C-alpha cells in the first residue's frame, strides 16, 4: 500500500525554497533555529469549547494541532531531534470540552527547547490563545548565512509564504522561490489552504500510487513527529529534559 502523512505546510513555495537552500549548504553549519505557530481561535475566554480541550479525545492540544507541523518542518530540514524540554499550559481550565465534567487538560500553548542531531539548538512556541494573529514562521542562522520564513493568512497569494535570506554577512533580502506559486481565486482561507498547500501533497501521493514508490512525507515521518510530541508532553509534565 502507498501512504503519506498530511504535512501539507511543507509545500508552500517559500518553505520549499528554504528546504532547498539548507540542503545545498547555503546557510553552512546551522547554529540555531527558532520557530512559532500562533493563532487566536481560543484566545478569548468566552470562545466556544470543543473536543480539542479534552486530552482523552484530542491526544494533544496546540502541539497536536499546530506544533506537529512545526516539528515536521524542523526535522525535515534540519535533522532529527535528539533531546528536548518543554513547558505548556491551559489558558482557561474551566473551559472544558462539551459533555466533559473535568477541567480542560489539553495544552493551549507550549514552548519547546531542543537539540537536533547536527548540534543545532532549536526553540519554538505554539499557541492557540494568541490574540490578533494567525501565522507561523521559522528562522535559521548558520556559518554562511541566515533565513527567515513567514506565512500569514492575508495579502495576495499568501499561501506561497515569504522568505528572506542573508548571505556572507550582508543584510536580509527577499528570496525568489524556484517552485511555481499556484495562482487561483480563493476568498475562503480554507479553500486557499487546500489549493495552495494540500493539492501539491495530493499530486505527490497520486504519483506515488502510479510509480509504486512511497512518497514524502511518509508514515514514518508522521510516527517520528508523534514521538516528539509525546516527548514534549512528558518533558512538560516532569519539568525535565527528555531523550528522543
Amino acid at each position: 500500500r502507498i501512504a503519506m502523512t498530511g504535512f501539507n505546510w511543507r509545500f508552500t513555495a517559500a518553505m520549499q525554497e528554504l528546504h532547498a537552500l539548507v540542503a545545498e549548504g547555503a546557510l553552512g553549519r546551522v547554529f540555531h533555529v527558532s520557530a512559532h505557530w500562533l493563532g487566536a481561535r481560543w484566545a478569548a475566554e468566552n470562545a466556544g469549547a470543543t473536543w480539542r480541550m479534552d486530552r482523552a479525545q484530542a491526544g494533544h492540544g496546540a502541539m497536536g494541532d499546530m506544533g506537529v507541523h512545526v516539528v515536521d518542518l524542523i526535522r525535515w530540514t534540519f535533522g532529527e531531534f535528539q533531546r528536548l524540554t518543554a513547558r505548556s499550559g491551559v489558558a482557561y481550565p474551566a473551559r472544558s470540552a462539551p459533555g466533559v465534567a473535568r477541567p480542560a487538560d489539553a495544552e493551549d500553548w507550549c514552548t519547546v527547547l531542543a537539540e537536533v542531531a547536527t548540534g543545532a539548538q532549536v526553540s519554538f512556541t505554539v499557541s492557540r490563545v494568541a490574540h490578533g494573529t494567525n501565522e507561523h514562521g521559522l528562522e535559521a542562522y548558520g556559518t554562511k548565512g541566515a533565513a527567515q520564513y513567514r506565512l500569514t493568512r492575508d495579502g495576495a497569494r499568501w499561501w506561497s509564504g515569504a522568505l528572506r535570506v542573508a548571505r556572507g554577512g550582508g543584510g536580509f533580502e527577499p528570496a525568489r522561490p524556484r517552485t511555481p506559486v499556484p495562482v487561483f481565486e480563493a476568498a475562503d482561507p480554507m479553500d486557499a489552504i487546500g489549493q495552495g498547500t494540500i493539492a501539491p501533497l495530493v499530486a505527490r501521493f497520486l504519483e506515488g500510487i502510479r510509480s509504486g514508490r512511497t512518497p514524502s512525507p511518509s508514515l514514518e515521518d508522521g510516527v517520528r513527529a508523534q514521538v516528539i510530541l509525546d516527548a514534549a508532553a512528558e518533558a512538560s509534565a516532569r519539568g525535565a529534559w527528555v531523550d528522543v
Side-chain angles (χ1 to χ4, degrees):
R1 297 292 186 267
I2 300 299
M4 291 182 76
T5 299
F7 288 138
N8 58 297
W9 294 105
R10 289 187 184 189
F11 292 91
T12 68
M15 178 52 65
Q16 289 281 312
E17 183 66 18
L18 171 58
H19 179 79
L21 289 173
V22 173
E24 292 164 0
L27 305 190
R29 179 167 57 88
V30 175
F31 299 132
H32 44 91
V33 178
S34 63
H36 67 272
W37 193 305
L38 306 175
R41 186 173 181 182
W42 287 288
E45 187 170 6
N46 61 357
T50 76
W51 58 272
R52 295 174 185 269
M53 279 70 199
D54 180 30
R55 186 174 291 275
Q57 298 180 68
H60 293 271
M63 281 293 286
D65 191 14
M66 307 141 82
V68 68
H69 290 286
V70 176
V71 166
D72 177 66
L73 294 178
I74 291 171
R75 62 171 295 274
W76 176 52
T77 300
F78 301 101
E80 298 292 348
F81 284 64
Q82 298 295 292
R83 63 180 192 134
L84 60 81
T85 188
R87 295 289 292 171
S88 62
V90 176
Y92 309 109
R95 187 169 59 191
S96 58
V100 177
R102 60 184 176 277
D105 60 355
E107 78 283 348
D108 289 313
W109 56 266
C110 185
T111 296
V112 175
L113 180 64
E115 185 176 289
V116 296
T118 61
Q121 303 299 298
V122 171
S123 63
F124 67 87
T125 296
V126 298
S127 173
R128 59 190 186 188
V129 290
H131 278 286
T133 187
N134 188 358
E135 68 165 59
H136 63 271
L138 186 151
E139 298 182 2
Y141 299 86
T143 55
K144 295 181 179 180
Q148 297 177 335
Y149 168 82
R150 186 167 178 253
L151 187 142
T152 63
R153 301 194 186 187
D154 51 35
R157 301 186 188 180
W158 60 262
W159 49 86
S160 66
L163 180 66
R164 300 194 308 153
V165 176
R167 305 173 188 267
F172 282 96
E173 297 181 356
R176 183 184 298 274
R178 284 165 272 188
T179 302
V181 177
V183 179
F184 50 84
E185 295 294 331
D188 181 355
M190 294 305 293
D191 188 38
I193 291 171
Q195 295 192 56
T197 71
I198 297 176
L201 182 146
V202 172
R204 183 173 291 190
F205 183 42
L206 295 175
E207 178 56 33
I209 293 172
R210 282 191 289 266
S211 67
R213 293 189 296 268
T214 298
S216 175
S218 65
L219 286 188
E220 183 179 359
D221 288 319
V223 170
R224 290 183 178 273
Q226 183 62 54
V227 168
I228 295 162
L229 261 61
D230 292 345
E234 178 186 350
S236 181
R238 290 173 47 200
W241 282 86
V242 171
D243 292 331
V244 178

